[in-house]
Amino acid sequence: DIQMTQSPSSLSASVGDRVTITCRASQSISNYLNWYHQKPGKAPKLLIYAASTLQSGVPSRFSGSGSGTDFTLTISSLQPEDFATYYCQQSYYNPRTFGQGTKLEIK
Amino acid sequence: EVQLVESGGGLVQPGGSLRLSCAASGFTFRTYNMNWVRQAPGKGLEWLSYISYSGTTIYYADSVKGRFTISRDNAKNSLYLQLHSLRTEDTAVYFCAREESGWYYLAYWGQGTLVTVSS
């Protein structure tokens, strides 16, 4: 199975900060990498698919990059509503696998 | 509007069984592949199972293979997950999610249903 490793596991930042989360796959997954965020008690929400394509309705301060095994999610200027847990997921192989999550907290 | 509504969760004893349902509306259910994902309390997301639009292709995570069974009824716009031989570690919120063709991402999710396995 493909292992997805996110770093950091947690992150403290302030409103207006630029933040980057990384995700590494245990083998190449081409561009089949998706990013979600989740707030407590809610379902996950898709932010980016195919490594860099912004889902409709997601603010442009979110961006994704990478291919193969190394990927990044960047939030250019943190807003209060962005404090949540972020997950990457590979959709190249079955079983699909998620990263362990990155909890983004207010500093 | 796409809607996915899970039901069937509850309290069950270890070794017991439960059937979860996911009612789909707002889209042509029979043309979409579907997935189940779960989240244990305070933990991350765990992908569980996939079923193709026709029901002919199915995959499971190793953690549930042989104990859980995914199925669908396209005439009823419904997805199911039959849970058998439940363990305390199966306690989680179970989400159904619609998979988009091409890049296979999960664009739409239900609100989840809680399964608690405890004696």
Side-chain angles (χ1 to χ4, degrees), chain A residues 1 31-32 34 36 38 42-44 46 49-50 55 87 89 91 94-96 98, chain B residues 37 39 43-47 59-60 62 95 99 102-107 109-110:
Chain A
D1 297 357
N31 287 354
Y32 287 78
N34 313 307
Y36 307 83
Q38 185 184 32
K42 300 294 187 181
L46 176 71
Y49 63 92
Q55 170 69 348
Y87 295 94
Q89 183 218 14
S91 54
N94 279 297
R96 313 288 197 225
F98 288 91
Chain B
V37 176
Q39 186 170 39
K43 302 297 184 181
L45 301 173
E46 179 186 15
W47 177 86
Y59 300 109
Y60 296 101
D62 286 345
F95 298 98
E99 183 175 286
W103 293 96
Y104 314 128
Y105 52 93
L106 303 177
W109 297 65

Side-chain angles (χ1 to χ4, degrees), chain A residues 7-24:
Chain A
S7 61
S9 295
S10 63
L11 177 58
S12 293
S14 302
V15 172
D17 284 354
R18 179 183 180 90
V19 166
T20 297
I21 298 169
T22 65
C23 178
R24 174 165 288 176

